[in-house]
Amino acid sequence: MADVVGGFGFRTGSAAGIGVGPYAELTFDSEGDVDRATQGAVARMEATDVLVFAHGWNSDRSTAVRLYDRFFAPFPALVGPGVRLGYVGVVWPSMRFSDEPIPDFEAAGALAEPGHGCALDPLTRQALEGFWPGRRAELDRLAELLAEQPESAAAFIEFGALVRELAGVDAVHAVAAPAVPAIFTDDVLEVCRTLSRALARAGAGAVSGSGAVPAGGEGPGLTAGAGLGGLWGGAKELLRQATYYKMKKRAGVVGERGLGPVLAELAAGRPAMRFHLIGHSFGARVVSFSLRAVPDGARYVRSVTLLQGAFSHYAFADRLPHDKGRGGALRGLHRKVDGPVVACHSPHDSALKVFYPLASRMAGDSAGLLGFDERWGAIGHDGVQAVPGAPRLSLDTALREGVPAAGCVSVDAGSVVRRGGAPSGAHSDICHEELARVVVAAGRMGR
């Protein structure tokens, strides 16, 4: 079994810290290997319907458990009398940036203290060492550069080379590799300049709720005449994007090789049990990629609800609009669900509106890094795209009239998913009873 990183040790399922029950955890390592004790705890559940929730990338186990406690709390009062719920929290090795706030969700002392600016706060520094074990020397140098912020092109070149090394990107072959994002191949000064502007855009959106770029493309702390010292915020974001790059791959692996086969085993042992999958951010990627392991004709996955999903809005498409010979990475897999795949999205999510397209754009694209290109849009930003007949509903309509019994559906949740600070905006503002009610409607579990 691969090493478990990021502070996620294996634990058997426990109701500690969770106000509903029965509750258990499914714990996976970075290669998708499951802790069999946690799988056994789920297998012993007495439930008709099991909610399986996978957290996103900006989490550690403590944050994930608090998320599950908050999100699961409304469900007992929402389901019908014939429904016996079981609750499962998926725990997979992620990376918590302690300087990124989660609305109404931080315990005292959980956030980094103010005043660090571009420097790495101690909690994030510790988390990075867990994320990249054995790379202390490289992280020490990155932390030193972020703290000193030298106005030197050579310093930025060194910083970019260290980030590429941590991300596992070979600088010699990266330009020719079609799967390597341009943030690791383009000129590092231009990348940091672009990311600095994106941070200004995200900050403006967090304040105004609009995500609009200030006039002239400038923002607080970024002016046309700023020197190189003003680009270190972008350099810190480049480091954050390197963790994103690695996490994107890991989420797919955990879903396809871990959660998917485990659910198939559980369903074989408990054929009457119905599973309802919920995923936030990269956790939406985890649960969606688990559908690859669902056997043809199986009906144990009864609904999938994606909350601010951090993967392509074309993922379920049979044909890509810009390349008719190809489909999305999950093309047709919504047909494996005996119910709907509901993608909740919000325009107030800066992580997906601004940064996801930057991180996902591939090397060789002719558009500028900040040029909007629909090819790189996220499902949590504007919902399911290029799936014919997939309805688009407001949250009010979905709660009043329900959601379709099958197929993909997009629900604009911007009326409740709207709060949060820079750089991610409302990306983590998901603990709302209205979203729990969407899950209940998708799973046909209501009163």
Side-chain angles (χ1 to χ4, degrees):
M1 181 173 286
D3 292 339
V4 179
V5 299
F8 284 86
F10 284 156
R11 292 172 171 85
T12 56
S14 168
I18 300 292
V20 296
Y23 170 79
E25 290 172 3
L26 280 174
T27 307
F28 297 92
D29 71 6
S30 59
E31 299 300 320
D33 292 323
V34 69
D35 174 13
R36 291 294 174 179
T38 67
Q39 181 175 339
V42 177
R44 292 188 295 272
M45 277 187 172
E46 293 301 325
T48 61
D49 295 78
V50 178
L51 305 177
V52 181
F53 195 160
H55 63 79
W57 74 303
N58 189 34
S59 296
D60 53 24
R61 182 181 179 274
S62 173
T63 304
V65 170
R66 287 187 290 135
L67 168 65
Y68 299 150
D69 179 49
R70 289 276 302 275
F71 192 83
F72 286 149
F75 281 90
L78 300 177
V79 298
V83 175
R84 286 180 296 156
L85 286 179
Y87 303 86
V88 172
V90 175
V91 177
W92 60 285
S94 187
M95 165 72 202
R96 174 79 174 104
F97 276 85
S98 61
D99 60 350
E100 187 171 317
I102 300 176
D104 297 337
F105 202 62
E106 303 299 344
L111 281 177
E113 301 213 357
H116 285 283
C118 297
L120 292 178
D121 65 272
L123 291 176
T124 298
R125 178 71 172 78
Q126 181 180 358
L128 287 169
E129 287 192 25
F131 190 74
W132 281 304
R135 309 305 292 268
R136 176 173 291 185
E138 293 91 337
L139 291 169
D140 280 345
R141 181 56 179 157
L142 287 171
E144 183 180 7
L145 288 169
L146 287 172
E148 295 178 356
Q149 302 176 44
E151 294 204 32
S152 160
F156 281 94
I157 292 171
E158 180 186 4
F159 189 93
L162 288 169
V163 169
R164 279 197 305 270
E165 186 174 344
L166 290 174
V169 175
D170 186 329
V172 175
H173 300 103
V175 174
V180 177
I183 56 173
F184 299 126
T185 61
D186 286 1
D187 176 79
V188 66
L189 281 174
E190 183 57 34
V191 168
C192 290
R193 184 173 289 109
T194 296
L195 291 173
S196 294
R197 287 176 175 158
L199 286 167
R201 178 185 183 188
V207 172
S208 69
S210 67
V213 184
E218 310 296 347
L222 181 70
T223 62
L228 295 181
L231 302 183
W232 283 102
K236 184 178 181 180
E237 183 60 31
L238 177 60
L239 176 61
R240 188 192 304 264
Q241 293 295 334
T243 68
Y244 171 102
Y245 178 63
K246 182 173 180 179
M247 201 72 64
K248 178 179 180 180
K249 296 180 180 179
R250 181 178 295 171
V253 167
V254 171
E256 183 173 359
R257 302 181 190 172
L259 180 60
V262 165
L263 290 175
E265 290 180 24
L266 290 168
R270 301 287 298 276
M273 189 176 278
R274 300 181 290 260
F275 294 95
H276 306 273
L277 310 186
I278 310 162
H280 170 237
S281 186
F282 273 152
R285 185 178 176 89
V286 170
V287 300
S288 296
F289 273 71
S290 77
L291 298 176
R292 286 182 170 175
V294 176
D296 290 338
R299 291 292 178 262
Y300 56 85
V301 178
R302 300 299 293 272
S303 69
V304 176
T305 305
L306 310 174
L307 306 173
Q308 302 311 115
F311 62 94
S312 173
H313 56 193
Y314 294 138
F316 293 101
D318 289 329
R319 291 182 178 83
L320 300 178
H322 53 280
D323 186 349
K324 299 295 186 181
R326 295 173 53 220
L330 302 172
R331 58 188 173 275
L333 289 188
H334 53 285
R335 303 183 185 100
K336 299 259 189 179
V337 180
D338 187 25
V341 173
V342 181
C344 295
H345 57 95
S346 170
H348 309 299
D349 184 334
S350 300
L352 300 183
K353 180 182 179 70
V354 179
F355 291 101
Y356 178 89
L358 294 186
S360 298
R361 188 177 70 81
M362 299 302 165
D365 180 22
S366 60
L369 275 173
L370 273 181
F372 179 75
D373 189 324
E374 289 186 352
R375 281 177 288 178
W376 316 128
I379 199 168
H381 169 58
D382 57 3
V384 176
Q385 302 291 327
V387 175
R392 308 185 66 81
L393 308 177
S394 69
L395 181 59
D396 285 346
T397 299
L399 296 180
R400 184 177 63 253
E401 302 178 7
V403 298
C408 292
V409 57
S410 301
V411 174
D412 185 343
S415 59
V416 296
V417 180
R418 57 182 304 109
R419 296 171 304 121
S424 291
H427 186 61
S428 295
D429 185 21
I430 61 168
C431 289
H432 299 281
E433 181 179 320
E434 292 89 342
L435 299 182
R437 290 169 59 196
V438 169
V439 174
V440 170
R444 292 150 287 173
M445 296 179 286
R447 295 181 176 276

